Amino acid sequence: MFRITKEFHFSASHQLTSLPPDHQCARLHGHNYIVEVELSANGLNDNGFVRDYHDLAPFKRYIDESFDHRHLNDLLGHEQVTAEYLARHFYEWCKARLRETSAVRVSETPKTWAEYRP
């Protein structure tokens, strides 16, 4: 199995309102998110790639235009915009366009991340 990964960055705010009011994540706050998209294949294409990294350019545009410097609760229409939720959301977006998508990891801080891998 061959795997490649590309990293993307954006900054956004969110609030997890179902948490107790004294929980730090219940307050409006933001993160400098890192999103890693993993593509996998059993073999390589004629160019020796799993997939050309350039094929992820539409995802970069999606992140930059739709997510960067936005309030995620408003953008996604609900109150539980967790890293886990974002990982699944980005996985589904990528998988619909790139069949080789095998996982997405979303980091909120350098020491914390969530991964969606069906």
Side-chain angles (χ1 to χ4, degrees), residues 44-86:
L44 301 176
N45 66 19
D46 292 340
N47 295 319
F49 298 149
V50 168
R51 185 83 181 218
D52 190 331
Y53 285 109
H54 180 71
D55 293 343
L56 284 158
F59 183 66
K60 169 81 168 120
R61 280 192 301 279
Y62 176 61
I63 291 286
D64 290 348
E65 294 171 6
S66 300
F67 286 82
D68 193 38
H69 287 82
R70 304 291 176 109
H71 182 58
L72 300 179
N73 299 73
D74 293 344
L75 179 65
L76 296 170
H78 60 83
E79 297 302 316
Q80 303 312 322
V81 184
T82 61
E84 294 89 339
Y85 177 85
L86 289 171

